[in-house]
Amino acid sequence: MDQTQRRRGAALESALLDAAWDELLESGYARLTMEAVAARAQTGKQVLYRRWPNRAELVVAAMRHRTGSIVQDVPDTGSLRGDVLAVLQRMADRFAALGPDLIHGLLSEAPDVSPEITSRMSGVMLAIVLRAAERGEIPSAALPLSVLLAPTNLLRHQMLLTREALEPATLTTLVDDVFLPLAGAGAQATPTS
Amino acid sequence: MDQTQRRRGAALESALLDAAWDELLESGYARLTMEAVAARAQTGKQVLYRRWPNRAELVVAAMRHRTGSIVQDVPDTGSLRGDVLAVLQRMADRFAALGPDLIHGLLSEAPDVSPEITSRMSGVMLAIVLRAAERGEIPSAALPLSVLLAPTNLLRHQMLLTREALEPATLTTLVDDVFLPLAGAGAQATPTS
DNA sequence: TGAATAAGAGACGCAAGGTCTCTTGTGGGG
DNA sequence: CCCCACAAGAGACCTTGCGTCTCTTATTCA
């Protein structure tokens, strides 16, 4: 019964972050308590507070720990439309697992994590658009930032402000009705007239 | 000293909502406490809980009480660009007074107020676009909903996810680079090339 | 092998949401 | 005109959960 195996350093930290992540999935951000995380990790609260100053920081660290690696790669489907759809789909998938409460909770408790959320997006979109311009799909890759981020920002807005699961057409609408026209792809293509 | 004037009914309710609103402006949503609202209104917590089941509902009621009337009228500046800019400016002004914490807090505590936020917007935008089509500024008023709400949704997204005060160019960018091109206004006008 | 460090465990203080109870002013109905 | 049911005002109280403090004990490093 007595474990007498005391974890330390990176191994312990990883266990703590895993516990936090599991609590997040099980209870959501609003119901995640430090006590529960500590209990799940078979330790005390002090071990958590030794590493992260508060609940929000712990959760942010847990998210980075779990999802940090997936963000890097840029989809490459061969077409601008496919690439942007893939990005949106990935956002939607990631969001579906956690729900909007997480973002709202974090942003209302730890205001300084805002940049974290939107930061890497512009790099991804820029890479996609550059490739599309090389391919000749669009006349120029020099899009205003507001256009470049319009689809991802609109999707994020929708996911944050709507409780229902988003219907499949939402993503294609964002790409076909908003982004592609603005990017100047296929001047003759204007669907849903 | 002794007031011995006991408020009742609508008068009392209005005083409660005013107190809540003042607390909101002074402390923000996160730091607004029921105790403080009750104290400011010179009453007890029970009077609050007799009317609203929780903090979030009280705050929503306070917002409706204060801002309910302003939303109705649709700006009419004579041009589509001016109208949309006026709508965005109004959103920005209203938001500036309260900050993003309010929305995040409400949405993480009282998930069922989401529709409240975006509901009336589509009606306003639709009216503006209809007038612009009658004027001949745009070929058709039959825009996809995602286009119709793109500028307001993008602005809301920005205000929610960014802490800094938004720079003046943000609004014009949304109108000139995103909305007007999508609405088909002035096919030759493609600024910021 | 011994001393410094940090893990594990849990008590504690405190703020705030929300409930309960009690007294007392007040307006409406008899 | 008076009485009484209702709700205002006041505050004690319970609970949850964050964050701190303390204490013992395992582990690691010199």
Side-chain angles (χ1 to χ4, degrees), chain A:
Chain A
M1 283 300 172
D2 199 358
Q3 196 69 8
T4 64
Q5 274 288 67
R6 216 173 247 191
R7 297 157 298 178
R8 293 202 145 228
L12 175 58
E13 187 146 328
S14 195
L16 297 175
L17 291 173
D18 286 348
W21 181 258
D22 291 346
E23 276 296 315
L24 207 55
L25 291 183
E26 205 173 294
S27 311
Y29 181 73
R31 318 219 129 133
L32 176 144
T33 72
M34 298 300 262
E35 261 108 353
V37 173
R40 186 186 282 263
Q42 313 239 60
T43 183
K45 284 196 288 181
Q46 191 61 35
V47 176
L48 295 175
Y49 281 106
R50 239 192 292 272
R51 286 169 174 76
W52 302 281
N54 51 52
R55 195 168 68 120
E57 297 279 353
L58 165 62
V59 168
V60 170
M63 292 179 65
R64 250 196 293 258
H65 184 239
R66 268 301 169 100
T67 66
S69 54
I70 318 177
V71 194
Q72 325 300 19
D73 64 326
V74 177
D76 189 358
T77 66
S79 77
L80 176 59
R81 184 173 189 274
D83 285 353
V84 179
L85 268 180
V87 168
L88 296 184
Q89 189 63 56
R90 191 180 296 172
M91 279 182 68
D93 289 345
R94 171 142 349 149
F95 212 88
L98 299 171
D101 303 3
L102 176 67
I103 309 293
H104 289 305
L106 282 182
L107 258 50
S108 70
E109 282 185 20
D112 44 315
V113 296
S114 309
E116 194 83 16
I117 298 171
T118 57
S119 57
R120 276 182 290 269
M121 212 66 253
S122 57
V124 174
M125 287 302 295
L126 190 58
I128 288 176
V129 162
L130 278 172
R131 269 206 319 259
E134 279 172 21
R135 251 187 259 115
E137 275 194 84
I138 53 175
S140 162
L143 300 175
L145 205 59
S146 54
V147 169
L148 195 67
L149 298 180
T152 52
N153 285 356
L154 283 172
L155 176 59
R156 193 178 295 113
H157 175 273
Q158 166 122 347
M159 291 189 295
L160 280 175
L161 265 76
T162 227
R163 311 297 297 182
E164 311 110 30
L166 47 90
E167 49 207 291
T170 304
L171 302 190
T172 58
T173 295
L174 286 178
V175 177
D176 294 332
D177 292 347
V178 177
F179 184 68
L180 292 184
L182 285 176
Q188 72 284 5
T190 23
T192 69
S193 76

Side-chain angles (χ1 to χ4, degrees), chain B residues 5-147:
Chain B
Q5 274 287 70
R6 216 174 247 190
R7 296 158 299 179
R8 296 203 140 228
L12 175 58
E13 187 147 330
S14 196
L16 298 175
L17 292 173
D18 286 347
W21 180 258
D22 290 346
E23 276 295 314
L24 207 54
L25 291 184
E26 203 172 295
S27 311
Y29 182 73
R31 320 219 128 139
L32 177 144
T33 73
M34 298 300 262
E35 262 109 354
V37 173
R40 186 186 282 263
Q42 312 240 58
T43 183
K45 285 197 287 182
Q46 191 58 235
V47 177
L48 295 175
Y49 282 106
R50 239 193 292 273
R51 286 169 174 77
W52 303 280
N54 51 52
R55 194 168 68 121
E57 297 280 352
L58 165 61
V59 168
V60 169
M63 291 179 65
R64 248 195 296 258
H65 183 239
R66 269 300 170 100
T67 66
S69 54
I70 318 177
V71 195
Q72 325 299 20
D73 64 325
V74 177
D76 189 357
T77 66
S79 76
L80 177 57
R81 184 172 189 276
D83 285 354
V84 179
L85 268 179
V87 168
L88 296 184
Q89 189 63 55
R90 190 181 297 172
M91 279 182 68
D93 290 345
R94 172 149 339 156
F95 212 89
L98 299 171
D101 303 3
L102 175 67
I103 310 292
H104 289 305
L106 281 182
L107 259 49
S108 71
E109 281 184 20
D112 45 314
V113 297
S114 308
E116 194 84 17
I117 298 170
T118 58
S119 57
R120 277 183 289 270
M121 211 67 253
S122 57
V124 174
M125 286 302 295
L126 189 58
I128 288 175
V129 162
L130 277 172
R131 270 207 318 260
E134 279 172 21
R135 253 187 258 114
E137 276 193 83
I138 53 175
S140 161
L143 299 175
L145 206 58
S146 54
V147 169

Side-chain angles (χ1 to χ4, degrees), chain B residues 142-163:
Chain B
L143 299 175
L145 206 58
S146 54
V147 169
L148 195 66
L149 297 179
T152 53
N153 285 356
L154 283 172
L155 176 59
R156 194 179 294 112
H157 175 273
Q158 167 121 346
M159 290 188 296
L160 281 176
L161 266 77
T162 228
R163 311 297 296 184

